[in-house]
Amino acid sequence: MASSFRAFLNSPVGPKTTHFWGPVANWGFVLAGLVDMNKPSEMISGNMTSAMCVYSALFMRFAWMVQPRNYLLLACHASNETVQLYQLSRWARAQ
């Protein structure tokens, strides 16, 4: 157990790298989108939500192509893409 934890700590995607802390910080986008689901659809910005969809799609590709692959970043942006597409659908229905 201790050796596997030590291996994780010192791995190329461990908590000593931006491969770990970048995705951890990006989960804030997902949480903000989840909180915004309770707000009225009139408050949703179509432009900003579209920009977030493009942003997450681009970073999902980046997370897949970078070596070593950053699965934590991929999961974060896939979750954000899902939340933002839902918000975009709410905005479109309100228009």
Side-chain angles (χ1 to χ4, degrees), residues 35-65:
V35 169
D36 286 348
M37 286 182 182
N38 295 325
K39 294 182 179 176
S41 57
E42 296 81 32
M43 294 182 69
I44 298 171
S45 167
N47 289 338
M48 188 64 204
T49 304
S50 297
M52 290 297 290
C53 287
V54 170
Y55 164 78
S56 283
L58 289 172
F59 269 90
M60 280 192 293
R61 170 138 169 76
F62 171 79
W64 186 256
M65 298 304 290

Side-chain angles (χ1 to χ4, degrees), residues 33-34 36-38 44 49 53 80-93:
L34 290 171
D36 286 348
M37 286 182 182
N38 295 325
I44 298 171
T49 304
C53 287
N80 190 44
E81 185 76 18
T82 303
V83 169
Q84 296 303 325
L85 286 172
Y86 174 73
Q87 293 291 71
L88 197 57
S89 73
R90 286 183 60 217
W91 174 81
R93 280 193 304 261

